Amino acid sequence: MAMTPADLRVYDDESALASAVASAMASTIAEAMRRRGRCFVALSGGSTPRVLYRTLAAEYRDRIPWSQIDVFWGDERFVPATDLRSNYAMAKAELLDLVPVPANRVHPIPTTHESAAAAADAYQSRLHALLGDTWPRFDLMLLGIGEDGHTASLFPHSPALHARDRLAVAVAPRADGEPARVTVTMPVILAAYNTYVLATGARKAPAIARALVSASLEDCPASALRHSAGTVTWWLDRAASQSTNN
Ligand code: 6PG
């Protein structure tokens, strides 16, 4: 597959970074509206996107056609929607309760099924139903990166990395006390028209450097983004960009 050259955007701090990403999102969403009259966005989890979601809610309530956007998640922890670890709960509190996305256009990864595997099946059916039977292509896929190079909930050396015939899979708990997870698969990520990877802090610099230059899918799942069918933009603060010569 063709190699997608890395597009790095580096900002002094997370506030400047969030402002730049929010502005770019508005353009990417407008492009999707021109392309297909609607827009499918997959939100990322973890803590990094919180400032971005707050910026979108505060400054883009009237500058993005929220009523035309279908909101999904790239991954979710298999915990109740009220749990502080829930990616859905964070996005709901910081963004979705504050902008006019219709409730029927918000598609959380379900976490009330009897298992994460059943939840993955249900989410996969929802993706097929809404994004069509061909391979679903998100207009915008937001991702983070872990210090180990994981993205979404695709972790190094995980069987989930090799799921090719599924849109979503369950991921077993990584350690005692940690929840199982549900994640979209790498083919779904790589099919996105536009992917934004957001990362801040020096702790992420080594994983970002590995993802950009060498590393294998097994050792650093985020390195697979170089094979994306769409655009990939790395949105970093200065600390996270330390090892990328930018
Ligand atoms: C999750 C995320 C995960 C996250 C990275 C970075 O559910 O945890 O999807 O891939 O983006 O772990 O997390 P932080 O933003 O908290 O550093």
Side-chain angles (χ1 to χ4, degrees), residues 76-79 109-124 166 168-173 179-183:
E76 185 57 277
R77 294 86 180 273
F78 194 63
V79 295
I109 295 174
T111 58
T112 52
H113 288 71
E114 71 278 5
S115 69
D121 288 345
Y123 194 57
Q124 177 162 284
R166 289 196 49 100
V169 294
V171 175
R181 292 162 172 245
V182 176
T183 185

Side-chain angles (χ1 to χ4, degrees), residues 174-200:
R174 305 274 301 158
D176 288 346
E178 280 201 21
R181 292 162 172 245
V182 176
T183 185
V184 295
T185 56
M186 191 57 83
V188 171
I189 290 174
L190 298 183
Y193 284 104
N194 300 280
T195 299
Y196 290 5
V197 185
L198 278 64
T200 58

Side-chain angles (χ1 to χ4, degrees), residues 178-243:
E178 280 201 21
R181 292 162 172 245
V182 176
T183 185
V184 295
T185 56
M186 191 57 83
V188 171
I189 290 174
L190 298 183
Y193 284 104
N194 300 280
T195 299
Y196 290 5
V197 185
L198 278 64
T200 58
R203 292 180 304 114
K204 300 294 180 73
I208 293 164
R210 285 172 39 239
L212 292 175
V213 291
S214 55
S216 67
L217 171 68
E218 283 292 329
D219 296 330
C220 181
S223 67
L225 292 173
R226 71 185 71 168
H227 298 298
S228 171
T231 71
V232 178
T233 310
W234 292 75
W235 298 94
L236 311 175
D237 71 354
R238 200 139 324 271
S241 72
Q242 280 170 344
S243 313

Side-chain angles (χ1 to χ4, degrees), residues 45-48 75 77 87 144-145 150-152 181 204:
S47 57
T48 302
D75 70 330
R77 294 86 180 273
N87 291 336
I145 183 171
H150 79 260
T151 194
R181 292 162 172 245
K204 300 294 180 73

Side-chain angles (χ1 to χ4, degrees), residues 68-83:
Q68 302 302 310
I69 297 176
D70 282 275
V71 177
F72 297 81
W73 277 259
D75 70 330
E76 185 57 277
R77 294 86 180 273
F78 194 63
V79 295
T82 53
D83 189 298

